[in-house]
Amino acid sequence: MTIVPTGTDIAAATPAGKGVGPLLRAWRERRRVSQLELALRADSSARHISFVETGRSRPSEEMVLRLAEHLDVPVRERNSLLLAAGYAPHYPETPLDDPALDALREGLERLIQGYEPYPALVVDAGYDVVAANRGITMLLDGVPESLLQPPLNAMRLTLHPQGMAPRIRNLGEWRGHLLAQMERQIALHRSEPLRALYEEVAAYPAPETADGGDDGDSLDEPSPAVPYFALPMRIEHDGRVLSFVSSISTFNTPMDVTVSELAIETFLPADPATAKYLHALGD
């Protein structure tokens, strides 16, 4: 599947109309960092941090960026802090289909294609799929066309009762894992579109057959239990139960809002039977 631009509008985590001081204080409290600790990290003083937070002192552009870095503020919200302080945004937001990101797109394509026959995909901050390999296509077997219209959304495809959910044998556990992941993202970004997506998928009914079945790699022939090293997603495919554990990667020190919000999720076979089956499919 080719990388495509998405129209996801992730709202800034900082509401308009507030000065930078209260916003910085909110981030500091969210990170559970004292004024003194932040001052030591940022080579400043607790008194100056206090003055900035109460509006008695206007921080320089450099100071805003420095505080945001030490508070691990997401790139998009760093721009919001700068705007609240009266400065221009520091980080560009380049559309994913812009020629400037050609090398990035090509690199992502090579990365996920090189991961085949194992599933891999790239999503944005709203969990819209911007790229996927043939392994993901295999997992989507049987999903109706109505759910496969762009933009594809990974959470919706996974948890919708007509999507992958009826085939996920441990849906209760996997659903809880995904919802907790979204809750962490909402706490970080306070994005209204992301919250709306969360409320939608959290309201999906779980199929009656979820969490049932045996642990074998065949629906009819159980095999010995496998000691999983992480929570697996166990999903039926063509009469077998495949087990995967997932890993999510992001870019180190991104300098662009779009790039900062991309995540690469790969699915590693959680048992020898799954690995053998996927390699057989790829032959």
Side-chain angles (χ1 to χ4, degrees):
M1 187 179 296
T2 303
I3 291 183
V4 294
T6 63
T8 303
D9 179 21
I10 301 300
T14 52
K18 285 188 176 183
V20 69
L23 301 178
L24 283 169
R25 181 175 65 245
W27 279 107
R28 180 179 59 76
E29 292 175 347
R30 190 178 308 174
R31 298 292 188 241
R32 299 182 179 180
V33 176
S34 68
Q35 290 182 343
L36 178 58
E37 184 178 355
L38 179 58
L40 292 173
R41 292 181 185 179
D43 193 23
S44 183
S45 67
R47 183 171 182 268
H48 182 54
I49 299 297
S50 176
F51 277 22
V52 167
E53 291 186 353
T54 58
R56 296 179 63 184
S57 177
R58 179 179 181 237
S60 66
E61 180 179 4
E62 179 186 0
M63 176 59 74
V64 173
L65 290 172
R66 193 188 312 162
L67 294 176
E69 178 181 359
H70 288 289
L71 290 172
D72 196 24
V73 177
V75 171
R76 181 181 293 274
E77 282 71 42
R78 296 185 193 191
N79 278 345
S80 298
L81 290 174
L82 288 168
L83 287 170
Y87 303 110
H90 180 76
Y91 300 95
E93 184 174 359
T94 309
L96 195 55
D97 58 349
D98 191 287
L101 296 184
D102 282 351
L104 171 72
R105 294 194 307 273
E106 292 170 3
L108 289 173
E109 287 282 7
R110 286 196 299 271
L111 179 63
I112 62 175
Q113 288 174 7
Y115 199 70
E116 293 174 356
Y118 306 153
L121 75 164
V122 183
V123 298
D124 63 15
Y127 294 99
D128 282 343
V129 179
V130 298
N133 68 6
R134 287 179 295 180
I136 290 293
T137 304
M138 177 268 296
L139 292 181
L140 296 179
D141 282 353
V143 174
E145 284 296 322
S146 59
L147 288 179
L148 297 177
Q149 300 302 312
L152 303 182
N153 186 274
M155 290 296 179
R156 191 175 288 117
L157 285 169
T158 304
L159 298 178
H160 195 283
Q162 295 180 352
M164 294 165 55
R167 293 186 290 115
I168 298 177
R169 300 296 292 275
N170 60 333
L171 180 60
E173 289 180 307
W174 194 250
R175 178 178 180 274
H177 155 67
L178 293 182
L179 293 180
Q181 178 180 311
M182 293 185 73
E183 288 170 354
R184 290 192 294 271
Q185 289 297 105
I186 290 170
L188 181 62
H189 292 280
R190 293 193 292 178
S191 161
E192 288 306 316
L194 189 57
R195 178 168 292 281
L197 175 64
Y198 173 86
E199 292 175 353
E200 174 192 337
V201 299
Y204 289 158
E208 293 182 1
T209 56
D211 301 308
D214 57 71
D215 289 331
D217 51 289
S218 168
L219 296 183
D220 299 320
E221 300 177 2
S223 61
V226 175
Y228 295 118
F229 52 87
L231 176 67
M233 177 183 71
R234 300 178 55 253
I235 184 168
E236 296 178 19
H237 180 264
D238 197 24
R240 305 181 72 86
V241 177
L242 307 179
S243 297
F244 299 92
V245 291
S246 69
S247 174
I248 297 176
S249 303
T250 56
F251 287 92
N252 184 40
T253 319
M255 301 301 293
D256 185 281
V257 174
T258 300
V259 176
S260 75
E261 294 177 346
L262 295 177
I264 306 160
E265 184 165 15
T266 55
F267 292 84
L268 183 71
D271 56 49
T274 297
K276 180 178 179 181
Y277 179 72
L278 293 177
H279 281 284
L281 284 181
D283 291 341

